[in-house]
């Protein structure tokens, strides 16, 4: 039968828990000589409205108060004293202003801990629940490097049981180099390093969005979508809000590009029976045709001073790059290669134009002076390289590469 039980020790002997929490109690039985003995243990609670205990010693709290949990074995007993508190709540609201905001949002933490943290949108609200009463800190984390919290971060709050404490963070974002691109039928944005790609605009099934173009201040993005049956031009804020349709006709409107001062959008449209270059206001009003050749003309690109537009035309029986004044006058041919030259992109300093050419057998990226001289091949491989686009500082050129039939 063994030695009788002399002492019953319950661990932890004291604990403070929130409503709805659990804790596993551990018991040790010893005889008068201090040796461990093993007997069946019976668990009980003196206040089941506050907490209950299972046959294995697991305590589950129910409401605020104090409770004593007792373990009994062959006449000896030991106890644990538990205080149950009501949890507090922090209502965290974030307001983000500026450009190039982080579309992935942020994360709100209590006392810097991942446990209980919640993701929150760039202009959103989230509830951080089950906060212990007392002085706590609420921190907004995962803030992009080009964004800063205005004011204190973290914010100290004093929480009592049942309280809901409002906490507001204001975030301001500065312009940074970000790349917008089309993938899988939607518009995405990512940092210039290729990291942090996030969806900005998504279409319904069997529709697609493509050809994104940043406004000069980085606050808006124009793009093409067939979400309303045919290809039309839309605009959206840099955070994905404020979607608006700019063009509305039965033809195809494509390839929007903003003027350097942000007051105009040039685009290609087939509304007059073939593709020509048009210009409109940023709200879609004031549409004016600026090209007038009896041939397809498309892929407009503004010069940095807004005075000229480079474009692609097939007036010579194949694609060539031309330039004209912004009103359509002063048309000048820049390239001359029957294999095809297209997709002009003006450098930020206005001195050069990058373009795609098939002159050496497959699509590759070239650059020339703004007058068409000094043509230099930049890419040289067996893949298809196309759609060049300059970085804002003119130090780099982003482009699309076709490898094994896939565009990246």
């Amino acid at each position: 039968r063994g030695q009788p039980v002399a002492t019953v020790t319950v661990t932890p002997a004291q604990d403070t828990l929130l409503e709805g929490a659990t804790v596993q109690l551990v018991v040790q039985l010893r005889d008068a000589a201090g040796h461990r003995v093993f007997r069946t243990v019976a668990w009980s609670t003196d206040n089941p409205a506050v907490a209950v205990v299972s046959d294995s010693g697991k305590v589950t709290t129910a409401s605020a108060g104090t409770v004593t949990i007792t373990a009994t074995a062959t006449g000896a007993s030991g106890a644990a004293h538990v205080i149950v508190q009501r949890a507090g709540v922090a209502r965290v609201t974030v307001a983000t202003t500026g450009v190039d905001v982080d579309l992935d949002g942020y994360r709100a933490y209590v006392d810097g801990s991942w446990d209980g943290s919640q993701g929150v949108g760039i202009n959103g609200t989230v509830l951080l629940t089950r906060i212990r009463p007392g002085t706590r800190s609420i921190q907004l984390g995962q803030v992009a490097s080009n964004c800063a919290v205005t004011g204190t971060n973290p914010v100290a709050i004093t929480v009592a049981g049942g309280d809901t404490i409002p906490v507001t963070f204001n975030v301001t974002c500065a312009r940074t180099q970000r790349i917008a691109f089309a993938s899988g039928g939607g518009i995405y944005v990512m940092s210039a390093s290729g990291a942090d790609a996030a969806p900005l605009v998504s279409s319904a099934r069997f529709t697609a969005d493509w050809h994104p173009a940043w406004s000069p201040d980085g606050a808006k993005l124009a793009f093409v979508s067939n979400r309303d049956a045919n290809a039309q031009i839309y605009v959206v804020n840099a955070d994905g809000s404020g979607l608006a349709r700019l063009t509305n006709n039965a033809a195809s409107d494509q390839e929007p590009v903003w003027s350097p001062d942000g007051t105009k959008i040039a685009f290609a449209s087939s509304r007059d029976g073939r593709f020509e270059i048009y210009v409109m206001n940023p709200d879609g009003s004031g549409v004016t045709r600026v090209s007038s050749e009896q041939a397809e003309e498309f892929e407009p690109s503004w010069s940095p001073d807004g005075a000229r537009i480079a474009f692609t035309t097939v007036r010579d029986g194949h694609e060539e790059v031309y330039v004209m004044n912004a009103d359509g006058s002063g048309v000048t041919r820049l390239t001359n290669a029957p294999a095809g030259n297209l997709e002009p992109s003006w450098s930020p300093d206005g001195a050069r134009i990058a373009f795609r050419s098939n002159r050496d057998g497959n699509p590759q990226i070239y650059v020339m002076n703004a007058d068409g001289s000094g043509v230099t091949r930049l890419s040289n491989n067996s893949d298809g390289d196309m759609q060049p686009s300059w970085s804002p500082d003119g130090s780099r050129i982003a482009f699309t590469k076709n490898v094994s039939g896939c565009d990246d």
Side-chain angles (χ1 to χ4, degrees):
R1 295 173 58 85
Q3 297 298 314
V5 177
T7 62
V8 177
T9 303
V10 180
T11 304
Q14 295 185 351
D15 205 353
T16 300
L17 302 173
L18 296 176
E19 291 176 333
T22 62
V23 64
Q24 178 64 56
L25 300 180
V26 178
V27 66
Q28 284 192 354
L29 311 178
R30 295 186 182 274
D31 61 19
H35 300 130
R36 289 196 64 179
V37 294
F38 299 90
R39 301 287 188 274
T40 299
V41 176
W43 294 91
S44 62
T45 174
D46 71 344
N47 195 344
V50 174
V52 296
V53 62
S54 70
D55 292 341
S56 64
K58 183 178 182 179
V59 177
T60 302
T61 64
S63 62
T66 59
V67 63
T68 298
I69 306 297
T70 302
T72 302
T74 61
S77 63
H81 303 284
V82 178
I83 299 173
V84 181
Q85 298 177 325
R86 293 188 66 188
V89 175
R91 181 186 294 111
V92 178
T93 300
V94 180
T96 303
T97 58
V99 296
D100 289 350
V101 299
D102 186 355
L103 297 178
D104 289 333
Y106 317 104
R107 195 161 194 89
Y109 301 87
V110 180
D111 294 336
S113 173
W114 179 267
D115 293 339
S117 66
Q118 295 284 340
V120 57
I122 56 176
N123 289 292
T125 298
V126 68
L127 295 178
L128 301 180
T129 60
R130 302 191 58 74
I131 300 177
R132 286 183 178 275
T135 301
R136 302 289 175 231
S137 70
I138 306 300
Q139 180 179 9
L140 190 68
Q142 298 185 6
V143 180
S145 60
N146 67 303
C147 302
V149 177
T150 304
T152 303
N153 183 32
V155 173
I157 61 173
T158 300
V159 181
D163 280 355
T164 297
I165 308 297
V167 178
T168 299
F169 293 101
N170 294 302
V171 181
T172 302
C173 297
R175 186 173 186 182
T176 186
Q177 290 188 1
R178 300 174 71 209
I179 297 173
F181 63 99
S183 179
I187 304 297
Y188 288 71
V189 294
M190 64 181 177
S191 65
S193 66
D196 306 322
L200 181 71
V201 181
S202 299
S203 284
R205 190 179 181 188
F206 303 124
T207 65
D209 306 318
W210 67 97
H211 201 98
W214 288 111
S215 63
D217 62 2
K220 293 181 179 293
L221 198 71
F223 64 97
V224 182
S225 178
N226 63 359
R227 62 185 59 210
D228 294 311
N230 60 317
Q232 296 290 283
I233 296 173
Y234 295 74
V235 69
V236 69
N237 294 328
D239 62 0
S241 65
L243 177 69
R245 181 172 178 174
L246 298 186
T247 61
N248 191 349
N249 60 81
S252 178
D253 296 332
Q254 304 259 6
E255 301 159 353
V257 58
W258 297 77
S259 64
D261 62 2
T263 63
K264 299 290 182 180
I265 297 176
F267 63 101
S269 177
S270 63
R271 62 186 64 195
D272 291 324
R274 62 184 177 276
F275 276 104
E276 296 287 352
I277 307 299
Y278 292 75
V279 172
M280 64 180 170
N281 296 325
D283 62 359
S285 65
V287 176
T288 303
R289 178 173 167 176
V290 294
S291 69
S292 58
E293 183 69 20
Q294 300 298 310
E296 302 277 328
E297 302 193 317
F298 45 96
E299 297 173 345
S301 176
W302 290 89
S303 63
D305 60 4
R308 293 172 292 171
I309 298 175
F311 62 98
T312 302
T313 178
V314 294
R315 63 178 65 191
D316 300 300
H318 53 271
E319 297 97 339
E320 295 288 0
V321 176
Y322 278 65
V323 67
M324 62 182 170
N325 295 328
D327 63 1
S329 65
V331 178
T332 302
R333 180 174 180 171
L334 297 183
T335 62
N336 190 353
N341 303 277
L342 54 165
E343 298 168 358
S345 176
W346 224 301
S347 67
D349 63 3
R352 293 170 295 171
I353 296 174
F355 63 102
R356 185 245 287 194
S357 179
N358 305 320
R359 64 184 63 195
D360 293 312
N362 64 315
Q364 295 290 281
I365 305 299
Y366 293 74
V367 69
M368 62 182 168
N369 295 327
D371 62 2
S373 66
V375 175
T376 303
R377 181 173 178 174
L378 298 184
S379 64
N380 191 347
N381 55 71
S382 59
D383 302 320
D385 297 337
M386 60 199 80
Q387 298 173 330
S389 179
W390 294 84
S391 64
D393 62 3
S395 65
R396 289 177 290 178
I397 297 175
F399 62 97
T400 300
K401 177 179 284 291
N402 182 281
V403 181
S404 300
C406 296
D407 290 338
D408 292 309

